Amino acid sequence: MEPRVLAHMSADPDLQRPYLTGGDLYVDAAVKVYGKRYSMLREQFLEADDETWRQRGLPKHPRKMFKQGLLATMYETSAYGLSTMLDISKEDGQQFIDDFHSNFPAAYQYAKDSLAFVDKHGYCTTMFGRKRRFPNHKSIAQQIKYERGWTPLKSEYNSVHRQVVNARTQGTAAEIMKVAMIRMDRLMQHLGSEWKLIATVHDELLLEVPDTITVEQFKQIEEAMVGAVKLDIPLKTDIAVMKRWSEDVPLEEYLQKGQSCFDEAGWKVA
């Protein structure tokens, strides 16, 4: 959810394009940044290829790097923090940040605008208008203009900056999830007492449904999720079916095999 929200809120065309064309955000981002520099074709950025990046001298698989580092970079993680996260050198961490900023300028501008807003007003907002307040930050931002070098104020100032884009992006994703939960709860009540919304795990919902569930009802469940809000890019959800926690099979497999996906005890059949 968060990369989709970021792509929408920043209106960065290069972040939005994979979602509009059915591409892979992390592969497309890696190709954009590293493709020409390392003379690599798109298929060589897929995780299935675990050799080309080593031969080219990249510090880590580029798709995995972008999957881990994209949001961290947007959330103002330092070069040192990124190097620790990606297991790369501090210099490579700074290069990753610089590459991202230069190749996704609209996303970078969104981050800068968000930080400038919180400096001026002392709070930031989600897409739905909820405020994340940062007490005293406004006065600290005014004072920091006259500070030179590292000071406790500078540390406090930077700490807020590392939270702003996170608060806006992650906060909006949480709001969308809450809308989806309300829609799902209404659907469960409409379908009957055997249908229950059990729990949420980050951006996933756990439902209890009868064995007689139909293809049409699966579609209703999907629509309750992806119809939660309209963004500039489509929302997407995956459905998995299980009888025991974590013993799940993709919906496509369940529709082909039905209950034979599981044994009598509910374990997934290999």
Side-chain angles (χ1 to χ4, degrees):
M1 278 298 303
E2 287 179 58
R4 287 176 187 269
V5 169
L6 176 62
H8 170 79
M9 293 183 74
S10 69
D12 190 296
D14 290 302
L15 286 181
Q16 291 187 358
R17 188 173 295 110
Y19 297 122
L20 296 172
T21 61
D24 182 313
L25 171 63
Y26 306 114
V27 170
D28 288 2
V31 171
K32 182 175 174 61
V33 174
Y34 294 131
K36 186 174 181 180
R37 184 189 305 175
Y38 291 96
S39 300
M40 292 174 64
L41 302 175
R42 190 178 191 280
E43 55 267 25
Q44 294 172 320
F45 286 91
L46 303 177
E47 288 190 22
D49 182 348
D50 202 34
E51 292 298 327
T52 303
W53 65 273
R54 300 178 195 273
Q55 297 166 359
R56 297 292 196 276
L58 277 162
K60 198 171 185 177
H61 195 298
R63 185 187 186 279
K64 293 180 180 178
M65 284 179 65
F66 271 89
K67 190 170 184 179
Q68 290 179 275
L70 185 149
L71 287 175
T73 300
M74 287 301 300
Y75 294 164
E76 293 293 300
T77 298
S78 66
Y80 173 77
L82 199 61
S83 70
T84 302
M85 177 187 299
L86 301 180
D87 193 26
I88 57 179
S89 69
K90 183 179 177 181
E91 291 72 23
D92 284 335
Q94 185 59 54
Q95 188 64 55
F96 185 98
I97 293 170
D98 294 342
D99 285 339
F100 184 87
H101 288 167
S102 63
N103 282 280
F104 298 93
Y108 186 34
Q109 188 62 49
Y110 160 75
K112 290 195 293 184
D113 291 345
S114 297
L115 301 179
F117 185 92
V118 81
D119 283 352
K120 183 177 180 180
H121 299 282
Y123 68 88
C124 64
T125 60
T126 63
M127 193 175 79
F128 289 83
R130 288 169 63 237
K131 290 183 178 180
R132 168 72 156 90
R133 301 180 188 276
F134 298 95
N136 302 321
H137 180 75
K138 188 176 174 180
S139 62
I140 290 173
Q142 292 173 343
Q143 294 178 60
I144 214 74
K145 294 178 183 178
Y146 307 102
E147 298 285 350
R148 294 292 182 270
W150 183 91
T151 68
L153 274 184
K154 185 71 173 177
S155 178
E156 191 171 343
Y157 177 84
N158 289 340
S159 176
V160 168
H161 270 203
R162 284 192 291 271
Q163 299 175 63
V164 173
V165 178
N166 176 284
R168 297 196 69 198
T169 308
Q170 197 172 75
T172 299
E175 290 171 329
I176 293 172
M177 189 61 183
K178 289 173 183 176
V179 174
M181 290 174 68
I182 292 170
R183 289 166 58 89
M184 191 67 73
D185 183 59
R186 289 173 179 165
L187 176 61
M188 297 294 100
Q189 292 184 46
H190 171 73
L191 291 173
S193 59
E194 289 185 279
W195 302 73
K196 296 181 177 65
L197 173 56
I198 302 297
T200 175
V201 184
H202 300 299
D203 58 357
E204 300 178 7
L205 293 182
L206 180 63
L207 312 175
E208 186 176 287
V209 303
D211 290 345
T212 55
I213 184 171
T214 65
V215 172
E216 179 57 36
Q217 288 164 336
F218 276 122
K219 290 180 180 178
Q220 288 179 284
I221 289 171
E222 180 180 33
E223 173 54 30
M225 294 286 281
V226 299
V229 66
K230 184 174 178 58
L231 303 179
D232 291 338
I233 53 177
L235 291 179
K236 180 180 181 296
T237 191
D238 297 311
I239 298 178
V241 182
M242 60 187 170
K243 288 201 166 186
R244 284 177 174 269
W245 178 251
S246 80
E247 290 289 307
D248 57 283
V249 299
L251 176 60
E252 294 76 15
E253 181 178 347
Y254 180 79
L255 292 178
Q256 288 179 356
K257 302 178 181 178
Q259 294 297 315
S260 63
C261 291
F262 312 100
D263 63 22
E264 292 184 0
W267 297 102
K268 182 169 57 178
V269 176

